[in-house]
Amino acid sequence: MVHPLRDKAAVSGIGETAYTRGTSKSGLALQLEASLRALDDAGINPRDVDGVIPYFPGGAIAEDFIANLGLKDLTLSAFIPMGGATCVAAIQMAAMAVTTGVCKHVLISVGRTGYSGQRVSTRLQQFPVFAQANEFEAPIGMFAPAQLYAQGARRHMELYGTTARQMAEVAVVTRQHAILNGNVVMNKPLTVEDHHASRMISDPFRLFDCSLESDGGAAVIISATDRARDLKKPLVTIAGTAEGHPDSPASIAQRPDILDFGLVKSAPRAFAMAGVGPKDIDVAEIYDCFTFTVIRQLEILGFCKTGEGGPFVMDGRIALGGELPINTHGGLLSQGHVVGLNHVIELTRQLRREAGKAQVKDAELGLVTGYGDMGDGSIAILKRAA
């Protein structure tokens, strides 16, 4: 039986600002700038938008979009508090809204001043899920994301022999891809030696294992496929989408297996919805808050077995021209950190054949993941329509 959401919604518009380290613009201003670019890309008027899902917490609410963009009749507004899994999870909500007729066009947006605004420790206090971390992790000195997620990386190294060299490969390949993309924060080559010489942040994570703190905005428009087909850009449909929450979702310390992410639950649902498997994927944009997070997600997604993620990323397999090119825009590690909505934009460009020097030849099917809070996982499988 074909899932009722399969290919019924599409990414009809994409837009982003410059990614920088330093801005005088607010998070709202960055969201509005990116949103206008997404609307122009789709070829629709702001008044056509009747659903809004802004990033939480991102300095904008539905009323801001009504006031600044002139939205006339908003039928859906929502927050999805899943940290880095938010933007891809929002695709599922938007797809349901446009498929059922609740909305015609849903705007998903992010505006982030990670470099110029509040520091990470201050921002995290705004996330409700971190209340439990204050009880279980913070008393032993663990609160920053690098500290919280490093323990999973070290566990994986001890169980399966994963190495710093393999994590460096993710960082180096991602940087190579970023250099092909003009709109990036990090545009200078990175070597394995550079990675190994960078300062330790939280063992085993070094500086270049960690995503950027940067400023920027991103936005996408989700429309019903029948509407998107008549718009200005090549049709990219949402074949499958899902979100998942790990056991003990608010405390890694209380989780039976700290290597379980929400993606363990969401990935099978998305593949089943799309009617495809890992071997069908041409390109993948994997949420890369840390290099190890990429390695573990590749295992969970079924591209390799558990424990084999480290060897899997070696020997050019994840680079352009390899078996599974990933993060072809530079990702959070090298392009910029807008909570992964730039990953959705890049996958859409790949499937439209608009990715320039980083284009994956003949890309027809791709996936994008989100990873956030204490391990929430979201996924969307996008398809170039015939």
Side-chain angles (χ1 to χ4, degrees):
M1 179 179 175
V2 176
H3 194 285
L5 281 185
R6 183 192 296 179
D7 295 322
K8 297 301 183 182
V11 182
S12 58
I14 56 175
E16 57 192 346
T17 69
Y19 296 119
T20 64
R21 279 186 156 180
T23 184
S24 60
K25 298 176 181 178
S26 66
L28 173 59
L30 291 165
Q31 288 192 67
L32 294 172
E33 180 181 341
S35 297
L36 288 170
R37 292 182 180 183
L39 290 163
D40 180 68
D41 183 70
I44 62 176
N45 189 285
R47 296 187 180 190
D48 296 322
V49 172
D50 49 6
V52 175
I53 309 176
Y55 176 67
F56 172 86
I61 57 176
E63 287 75 7
D64 292 318
F65 291 90
I66 294 170
N68 288 280
L69 297 181
L71 309 186
K72 301 303 291 184
D73 189 11
L74 204 61
T75 57
L76 171 71
S77 64
F79 286 137
I80 300 176
M82 292 177 64
T86 292
C87 296
V88 177
I91 292 174
Q92 177 179 244
M93 177 180 286
M96 289 189 291
V98 299
T99 299
T100 57
V102 172
C103 297
K104 299 180 180 68
H105 304 284
V106 177
L107 170 67
I108 302 169
S109 67
V110 171
R112 195 168 184 271
T113 54
Y115 184 83
S116 300
Q118 296 174 328
R119 300 296 88 180
V120 63
S121 57
T122 303
R123 292 198 308 271
L124 290 180
Q125 295 293 342
Q126 302 172 30
F127 288 78
V129 72
F130 278 84
Q132 277 194 35
N134 283 331
E135 296 182 35
F136 293 105
E137 277 85 3
I140 57 172
M142 295 175 59
F143 191 78
Q147 297 170 315
L148 292 166
Y149 305 147
Q151 56 190 326
R154 176 55 67 189
R155 177 70 171 163
H156 202 272
M157 295 170 85
E158 295 297 324
L159 287 176
Y160 305 114
T162 307
T163 67
R165 174 64 185 86
Q166 292 161 348
M167 291 194 287
E169 186 73 7
V170 175
V172 170
V173 169
T174 302
R175 182 67 60 86
Q176 292 170 351
H177 294 168
I179 292 170
L180 301 175
N181 180 344
N183 184 18
V184 298
V185 172
M186 307 298 281
N187 55 16
K188 296 180 180 179
L190 177 72
T191 66
V192 172
E193 292 72 25
D194 293 333
H195 171 276
H196 289 353
S198 65
R199 70 181 185 272
M200 188 67 74
I201 302 299
S202 182
D203 186 12
F205 290 151
R206 295 186 176 275
L207 178 65
F208 292 126
D209 289 307
C210 304
S211 55
L212 297 168
E213 288 287 13
S214 57
D215 305 318
V220 303
I221 308 291
I222 306 297
S223 310
T225 297
D226 289 344
R227 295 181 186 275
R229 198 182 305 277
D230 297 327
L231 300 179
K232 61 190 280 190
K233 290 291 186 173
L235 185 63
V236 174
T237 63
I238 301 164
T241 179
E243 71 172 62
H245 303 260
D247 296 337
S248 183
S251 175
I252 296 174
Q254 305 304 306
R255 190 167 303 156
D257 183 350
I258 63 174
L259 292 175
D260 268 357
F261 298 171
L263 196 62
V264 169
K265 299 176 181 178
S266 60
R269 291 198 287 264
F271 279 121
M273 184 187 296
V276 301
K279 293 185 181 299
D280 299 308
I281 300 298
D282 299 313
V283 56
E285 312 298 345
I286 307 295
Y287 196 88
D288 54 335
C289 49
F290 300 97
T291 53
F292 165 72
T293 314
V294 174
I295 289 172
R296 179 60 183 141
Q297 287 179 92
L298 289 169
E299 295 175 348
I300 294 170
L301 289 163
F303 293 112
C304 58
K305 295 179 181 178
T306 293
E308 297 179 359
F312 179 86
V313 302
M314 300 300 293
D315 303 319
R317 184 178 275 116
I318 60 172
L320 285 165
E323 179 183 327
L324 181 70
I326 71 166
N327 297 0
T328 46
H329 54 322
L332 307 185
L333 290 168
S334 285
Q335 184 188 39
H337 199 322
V338 283
V339 208
L341 198 53
N342 50 334
H343 292 50
V344 179
I345 289 170
E346 173 65 11
L347 182 55
T348 304
R349 285 201 179 109
Q350 286 286 344
L351 298 176
R352 288 178 176 178
R353 314 283 168 78
E354 295 177 347
K357 295 179 181 179
Q359 181 65 54
V360 174
K361 185 179 179 181
D362 300 328
E364 300 281 346
L365 190 72
L367 66 76
V368 57
T369 67
Y371 172 91
D373 285 347
M374 298 294 183
D376 291 341
S378 53
I379 176 174
I381 299 170
L382 305 186
K383 180 169 71 177
R384 178 183 172 88

Coordinates of all heavy atoms in Angstrom, one line a residue, residues 44 180 342:
I44 N 6.1 32.9 -6.1 CA 4.8 33.2 -5.5 C 4.9 34.5 -4.7 O 5.9 35.0 -4.3 CB 4.3 32.0 -4.6 CG1 5.2 31.8 -3.4 CG2 4.1 30.8 -5.4 CD1 4.7 30.7 -2.5
L180 N 33.9 24.5 -3.0 CA 33.2 24.6 -4.3 C 32.0 25.5 -4.3 O 31.4 25.8 -5.3 CB 32.8 23.2 -4.8 CG 34.0 22.2 -4.9 CD1 33.4 20.8 -5.2 CD2 34.9 22.6 -6.0
N342 N 20.0 24.7 5.7 CA 20.9 24.8 4.5 C 21.1 23.4 3.9 O 21.4 23.3 2.7 CB 22.2 25.4 4.8 CG 22.9 24.9 6.1 OD1 22.3 24.3 7.0 ND2 24.2 25.0 6.1

